[in-house]
């Protein structure tokens, strides 16, 4: 009973949030590099402020991040010590292709990830690789307009071909795009989109989304051709949507929000645009332009498994006057029955079980939880030790709920990677002080610190969870 013997326990990170070293190894500039911390961040990540170069008046947290680029051996050793079976990580596209449209890849970049994979294998850790985690070369944005341009499909597939071939012996589990539905909420991060004055933003977002969906299907095809052992997953930001009340208007709004969210996975998993999307996008005049072959591509190459992040549930009211709660770049009404994190995100472990059930009911495919965790401001003692009982509590309740979903509800779950095994930069705010790790990194909000790694209390706790295969929490 409980989790299967080969359940994949581990942690998840993203290149731009942990690597740093942005001008080393021949790497080019990426959209995520030019997202500043502070007041302008939101306008930049939503595509409303075009800042495609770094300037002297902003701070750019991705530039150094937590220096995984130089310290990956130490970090992976710590993951090994916790007993990780899997490490979810992403590729910085511009390490492989600095501009994005070159023919020949950058050998130094390829070698860097090969070294990372070898290091993982040394500890029996299997890499789970996100091909694009909010990652797009700036050159492709300037030259082609990012994912609004169909040409991106070819550039992305060229990257995929290089990755699948070169890393055939190290990697068999791939995710095509991180949180693909985030394109609607943070389109610069999700698709390299900067909007022009007067542009129909929704139309552009759905066009870019269509290109990513086609690219994802073709990447799945390619992955299977290069290595029949390859398994490819989609990845979306999940979290059940609750109606604020049983008023039918609230229930209806919640359903619409759900459909907006599931749209991407409906296409990636079922292989066609769901009828609700066809009708609504056509009515709003934003149905994307398609090539004649697209329908077949989507239908023929659905994903092998469904992966998702879960941080919280959402609560939706028909009336816009309800008090708001924060969340993973989504806003929702404040649920009066829940507690909230220091950043105002709802905490809802039962919501996790509900979400797991909903997704499994909808798709009937193996699932992988690839992000879940608590962002908190840790206070280290004189030795740098953090007693993060609040994080343990959050994870314990969520893993308990996940176990119930497996044990009592029968959902098919391949693994769980918590966000994040080591402190890193926040995607939403660019802050360092919003920490998620089992390992503390001595790096402060103003960029100071030694970058030393120190195990937190949760490190030992998670180690025990893995050792007992989730039996002892
Ligand atoms: C998801 C992203 C991650 C990660 C996480 C936590 O949306 O896939 O990259 O950062 O959320 O969010 P934040 O960093 O804003 O706290």
């Amino acid at each position: 009973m409980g989790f299967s013997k080969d359940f994949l326990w581990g942690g998840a990170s993203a290149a731009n949030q942990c690597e740093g070293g942005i001008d080393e190894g021949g790497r080019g500039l990426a959209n995520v590099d030019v997202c500043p911390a502070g007041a302008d961040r939101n306008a930049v990540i939503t595509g409303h402020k075009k800042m495609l170069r770094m300037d002297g008046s902003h701070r750019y947290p991705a530039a150094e991040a937590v220096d995984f680029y130089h310290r990956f051996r130490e970090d992976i050793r710590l993951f090994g010590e916790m007993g990780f079976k899997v490490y979810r990580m992403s590729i910085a596209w511009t390490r492989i292709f600095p501009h994005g449209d070159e023919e020949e890849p950058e050998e130094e970049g390829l070698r860097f990830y090969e070294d990372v994979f070898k290091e993982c294998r040394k500890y029996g850790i299997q890499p789970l690789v996100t091909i694009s985690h909010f990652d797009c070369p700036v050159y492709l944005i300037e030259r082609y307009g990012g994912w609004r341009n169909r040409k991106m499909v070819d550039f992305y597939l060229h990257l995929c071909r290089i990755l699948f071939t070169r890393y055939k012996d190290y990697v068999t589990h791939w995710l095509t795009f991180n949180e693909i539905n985030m394109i609607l909420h943070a389109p610069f991060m999700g698709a390299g989109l900067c909007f022009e004055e007067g542009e129909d933003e929704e139309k552009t977002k759905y066009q870019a989304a269509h290109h990513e969906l086609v690219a994802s299907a073709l990447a799945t095809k390619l992955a299977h051709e290069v290595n029949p052992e390859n398994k490819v997953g989609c990845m979306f930001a999940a979290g059940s949507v609750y109606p604020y009340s049983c008023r039918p208007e609230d229930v209806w709004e919640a359903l619409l929000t759900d459909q907006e969210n599931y749209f991407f996975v409906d296409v990636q998993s079922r292989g066609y645009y769901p009828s609700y999307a066809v009708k609504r996008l056509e009515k709003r005049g934003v149905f994307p332009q398609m090539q004649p072959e697209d329908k077949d591509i989507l239908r023929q190459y659905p994903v092998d498994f469904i992966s998702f992040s879960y941080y919280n549930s959402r609560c939706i009211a028909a009336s816009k006057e309800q008090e708001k709660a924060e969340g993973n770049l989504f806003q929702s009404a404040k649920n009066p029955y829940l507690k909230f994190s220091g950043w105002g995100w709802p905490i809802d472990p039962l919501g996790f079980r509900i979400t797991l059930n909903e997704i499994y009911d909808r798709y009937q495919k193996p699932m992988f939880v690839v992000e879940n965790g608590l962002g908190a401001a840790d206070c280290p003692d004189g030795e740098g030790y953090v007693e993060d009982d609040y994080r343990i509590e959050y994870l314990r309740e969520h893993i308990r709920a996940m176990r119930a979903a497996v044990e009592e509800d029968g959902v098919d779950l391949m693994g769980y990677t918590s966000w994040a095994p080591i402190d890193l930069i926040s995607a939403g705010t660019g802050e360092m002080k919003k920490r998620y790790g089992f390992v503390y990194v001595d790096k402060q909000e103003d960029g100071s610190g030694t970058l030393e790694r120190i195990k937190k209390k949760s490190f030992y706790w998670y180690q025990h969870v893995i050792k007992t295969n989730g039996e002892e929490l």
Side-chain angles (χ1 to χ4, degrees):
M1 285 295 274
F3 297 107
S4 61
K5 262 198 335 312
D6 50 3
F7 190 77
L8 294 166
W9 293 98
S13 70
N16 76 87
Q17 292 171 261
C18 70
E19 279 179 14
I22 62 167
D23 43 20
E24 292 181 63
R27 183 185 182 285
L29 194 65
N31 60 340
V32 271
D33 302 340
V34 295
C35 295
D40 284 331
R41 187 175 183 86
N42 201 52
V44 172
I45 68 178
T46 53
H48 295 123
K49 189 169 190 145
K50 197 169 184 171
M51 279 180 33
L52 295 178
R53 288 287 175 277
M54 294 175 162
D55 62 35
S57 53
H58 290 88
R59 227 167 27 76
Y60 297 94
E64 181 187 56
V66 293
D67 197 31
F68 179 83
Y69 186 66
H70 297 109
R71 293 163 197 258
F72 68 91
R73 290 183 204 282
E74 179 184 355
D75 294 345
I76 293 170
R77 181 171 54 71
L78 289 164
F79 304 160
E81 198 179 323
M82 275 187 277
F84 279 20
K85 316 275 182 244
V86 62
Y87 171 42
R88 174 181 174 228
M89 48 167 286
S90 77
I91 302 283
W93 189 338
T94 53
R95 283 202 193 287
I96 314 298
F97 293 105
H99 281 172
D101 64 353
E102 298 93 336
E103 257 314 299
E104 290 305 313
E106 177 65 50
E107 179 54 29
E108 214 174 323
L110 285 171
R111 204 165 334 110
F112 169 68
Y113 291 110
E114 190 165 324
D115 288 345
V116 170
F117 298 145
K118 279 188 182 155
E119 206 62 20
C120 286
R121 292 292 183 184
K122 201 160 117 187
Y123 300 98
I125 300 172
Q126 154 176 357
L128 165 62
V129 175
T130 317
I131 297 162
S132 174
H133 190 128
F134 298 153
D135 205 306
C136 180
V138 163
Y139 182 84
L140 295 184
I141 299 172
E142 287 180 316
R143 179 87 203 272
Y144 302 94
W147 280 93
R148 77 183 73 213
N149 191 326
R150 175 91 185 191
K151 288 205 169 81
M152 289 295 287
V153 176
D154 296 332
F155 302 141
Y156 176 86
L157 286 174
H158 187 47
L159 170 73
C160 289
R161 183 178 293 283
I162 296 289
L163 300 180
F164 296 155
T165 324
R166 174 75 175 238
Y167 302 132
K168 195 163 177 249
D169 296 337
Y170 303 101
V171 186
T172 50
H173 285 69
W174 304 89
L175 306 179
T176 50
F177 292 93
N178 180 62
E179 295 190 337
I180 191 163
N181 50 332
M182 210 50 102
I183 205 173
L184 301 178
H185 307 273
F188 180 69
M189 283 207 306
L193 299 179
C194 298
F195 299 111
E196 302 301 332
E197 194 70 33
E199 181 172 2
D200 183 338
E201 294 185 12
E202 221 189 341
K203 197 173 171 105
T204 305
K205 286 196 273 192
Y206 278 102
Q207 187 64 55
H210 179 68
H211 293 150
E212 289 193 359
L213 291 167
V214 170
S216 176
L218 289 172
T220 307
K221 168 179 191 272
L222 187 61
H224 293 156
E225 280 166 8
V226 174
N227 182 1
E229 301 279 293
N230 272 333
K231 295 269 178 269
V232 182
C234 55
M235 187 321 188
F236 80 115
S240 288
V241 176
Y242 303 156
Y244 190 73
S245 75
C246 50
R247 261 183 80 211
E249 288 79 3
D250 285 348
V251 178
W252 176 244
E253 274 310 311
L255 177 76
L256 292 179
T257 309
D258 239 348
Q259 289 180 332
E260 180 184 275
N261 220 26
Y262 278 128
F263 157 68
F264 299 86
V265 187
D266 282 354
V267 179
Q268 287 175 296
S269 179
R270 295 169 172 168
Y272 56 91
Y273 272 51
S275 49
Y276 65 82
V278 175
K279 289 286 177 202
R280 288 194 204 121
L281 297 182
E282 274 177 359
K283 186 157 176 225
R284 296 205 295 254
V286 300
F287 193 80
Q289 271 190 348
M290 294 192 184
Q291 300 294 324
E293 65 273 23
D294 289 0
K295 273 197 178 146
D296 279 347
I297 293 173
L298 296 176
R299 195 175 289 276
Q300 282 179 43
Y301 310 109
V303 288
D304 301 311
F305 66 96
I306 315 283
S307 87
F308 61 93
S309 60
Y310 176 85
Y311 291 91
N312 49 260
S313 56
R314 296 156 72 193
C315 194
I316 297 295
S319 144
K320 301 293 165 228
E321 273 137 43
Q322 299 303 334
E323 198 187 340
K324 298 276 181 283
E326 294 305 318
N328 192 3
L329 290 172
F330 297 104
Q331 276 222 333
S332 61
K334 190 161 184 173
N335 185 332
Y337 301 101
L338 298 178
K339 294 201 180 107
F340 296 84
S341 79
W343 268 260
W345 293 20
I347 299 179
D348 184 7
L350 181 55
F352 189 23
R353 182 173 177 181
I354 296 169
T355 300
L356 281 154
N357 272 276
E358 275 180 6
I359 298 173
Y360 193 57
D361 282 351
R362 196 169 180 115
Y363 302 112
Q364 299 282 305
K365 282 193 181 171
M367 300 186 293
F368 206 136
V369 176
V370 295
E371 284 184 37
N372 170 239
L374 178 72
D378 293 335
C379 295
D381 67 13
E383 258 79 75
Y385 181 67
V386 177
E387 214 157 311
D388 52 347
D389 291 301
Y390 39 90
R391 181 167 295 109
I392 295 174
E393 177 66 18
Y394 176 99
L395 293 169
R396 175 185 289 131
E397 292 310 316
H398 281 77
I399 294 175
R400 190 169 280 150
M402 177 171 79
R403 192 169 69 197
V406 170
E407 210 167 65
E408 295 171 39
D409 313 330
V411 306
D412 182 357
L413 193 60
M414 301 159 70
Y416 172 87
T417 58
S418 78
W419 184 270
I422 185 164
D423 293 344
L424 39 65
I425 304 294
S426 156
T429 67
E431 288 167 307
M432 186 62 222
K433 65 173 185 281
K434 189 181 188 191
R435 296 172 184 273
Y436 284 89
F438 302 118
V439 175
Y440 181 80
V441 177
D442 177 19
K443 171 150 181 180
Q444 309 311 318
E445 202 50 33
D446 62 1
S448 67
T450 61
L451 291 165
E452 189 191 347
R453 282 43 179 159
I454 304 160
K455 298 168 197 170
K456 301 181 195 177
K457 185 173 179 180
S458 55
F459 181 98
Y460 303 99
W461 173 81
Y462 196 49
Q463 186 179 49
H464 190 72
V465 170
I466 297 177
K467 195 165 157 214
T468 61
N469 201 22
E471 283 306 309
E472 291 176 23
L473 299 170

